[in-house]
Amino acid sequence: MAELHDFLQYDVAKWYPDLIKDVKLTLVEAGPGLLGSFDKSLADYYLKELLQKKIDVRLSTAVTGVQERLFNEDDKESHSYTVASLADGTELPFGTMVWSAGLAPVKFVESSNLELGRGGKVLVDKYLRVKGHKGRIFALGDCAAVEDGPPLPPTASVAEQQAYYIGDCFNKYYRTFDPISENNKVDLPLPGPVVPALLPWEQAERLNKYICTPVPHFEYKNRGKMTAMGFGGGVADMTETDLPAPKIATSGAAAFLAWRSAYWTKQLSWTNMILIPMYWFKAMLFGRDISRF
């Protein structure tokens, strides 16, 4: 939301100064607060910053419906507009809605005939194996839920670590198992120890074996939580991280730098790692690229 605010105020306003006065940002949140998984001090700071940017924040308010309406202006041609109905009985006319209201299982999962658990997710054991299939079917990411473990956050970090885990299992232990020649009654053998994928940077993956204890089952490692607030702002909650880093909660420029640094190191090629800072520098000096009609 803060990034969208910066885009409107620093780029769109420059090209369309006559229209920017008609633009308003509204954030509708069904829960009692923002960033519920973050440290409360950071969540409060984030909300305060949004309000200072004159963003209309409506907490404990759910969207119950969206409908299109028509109106006539001076008996001329009718025009359509859209309205969001809110749980408190009010209505919010809007031109563009960005919907981010949680996750639901895709049809493939619903019709898979696999055993489903909470939220319609596929039940797996601590080795990410689907129940009742001799360990030969795996599920990971948002579509899977570990039966006897705490719920994992539906984030890319969890899915990435699970993918690393299954990849290591296949490369080290499962590749010698032939499901065709083996008796169909034989379960896939359990894997041996696997190093958790704590460090998210490809250049530092080799260090995982020195700071993590290998275990046969999947073990999620908390890398911390970060989010940006437009240029120069952000929040970073490292209070519960498993990374060898200070257990602190920070905001402002330091959090923004940490956020950009983390995602910069996630690039798949050195070319992108060189080009992206150049694009950041260009946007800082000349603004973002924007089409003008």
Side-chain angles (χ1 to χ4, degrees):
M1 180 61 76
E3 189 74 29
L4 181 57
H5 170 272
D6 286 0
F7 173 66
L8 291 171
Q9 295 300 320
Y10 302 131
D11 297 292
V12 175
K14 180 172 62 177
W15 292 101
Y16 304 97
D18 55 326
L19 298 179
I20 193 63
K21 67 180 185 299
D22 299 321
V23 178
K24 179 182 179 182
L25 294 177
T26 301
L27 175 61
V28 180
E29 168 59 44
L34 304 177
L35 304 181
S37 62
F38 280 66
D39 183 84
K40 188 178 185 304
S41 63
L42 295 180
D44 293 341
Y45 169 84
Y46 192 87
L47 176 59
K48 183 183 71 173
E49 289 295 310
L50 292 183
L51 295 176
Q52 287 183 352
K53 294 177 183 290
K54 301 187 184 309
I55 296 174
D56 180 16
V57 180
R58 305 191 186 188
L59 302 177
S60 301
T61 305
V63 177
T64 58
V66 176
Q67 54 184 306
E68 185 177 23
R69 294 180 181 172
L70 297 175
F71 74 94
N72 295 317
E73 184 178 359
D74 298 332
D75 296 328
K76 296 180 181 179
E77 182 180 358
S78 61
H79 301 274
S80 64
Y81 67 103
T82 47
V83 173
S85 301
L86 306 181
D88 59 4
T90 61
E91 293 184 338
L92 180 64
F94 66 91
T96 300
M97 172 183 284
V98 179
W99 185 269
S100 178
L103 302 170
V106 297
K107 296 297 183 182
F108 174 78
V109 174
E110 292 180 347
S111 59
S112 63
N113 293 324
L114 301 175
E115 185 175 351
L116 304 181
R118 56 182 181 269
K121 298 183 178 183
V122 179
L123 284 179
V124 297
D125 60 16
K126 60 183 181 180
Y127 304 97
L128 305 184
R129 306 180 305 174
V130 178
K131 294 182 57 179
H133 293 274
K134 301 183 176 61
R136 303 187 185 193
I137 300 178
F138 299 84
L140 68 157
D142 297 338
C143 75
V146 180
E147 183 178 23
D148 297 324
L152 298 176
T155 62
S157 177
V158 173
E160 181 187 43
Q161 292 184 49
Q162 290 176 332
Y164 271 106
Y165 169 79
I166 291 180
D168 286 344
C169 287
F170 272 90
N171 291 332
K172 296 179 180 179
Y173 305 108
Y174 296 156
R175 62 179 180 177
T176 59
F177 182 84
D178 187 350
I180 297 178
S181 62
E182 293 283 351
N183 190 319
N184 285 334
K185 296 182 179 181
V186 176
D187 289 358
L188 180 69
L190 294 178
V194 176
V195 178
L198 171 59
L199 295 178
W201 310 288
E202 182 178 357
Q203 297 82 358
E205 286 178 4
R206 296 180 180 178
L207 299 178
N208 283 326
K209 61 183 178 181
Y210 299 108
I211 57 179
C212 297
T213 302
V215 290
H217 59 273
F218 172 72
E219 185 175 79
Y220 169 66
K221 293 295 185 179
N222 190 329
R223 297 171 177 172
K225 300 179 284 286
M226 295 182 288
T227 186
M229 296 186 61
F231 183 78
V235 293
D237 186 356
M238 308 297 288
T239 56
E240 299 178 354
T241 183
D242 293 314
L243 290 170
K247 306 297 188 288
I248 59 174
T250 185
S251 59
F256 175 78
L257 180 61
W259 181 83
R260 280 211 166 175
S261 299
Y263 284 94
W264 174 67
T265 58
K266 296 290 289 180
Q267 303 309 307
L268 299 179
S269 70
W270 288 105
T271 301
N272 286 342
M273 294 183 72
I274 294 173
L275 289 176
I276 286 178
M278 295 172 62
Y279 293 143
W280 287 340
F281 182 71
K282 183 185 72 170
M284 183 175 61
L285 290 184
F286 307 107
R288 301 169 179 84
D289 290 333
I290 182 172
S291 298
R292 185 178 186 183
F293 299 96

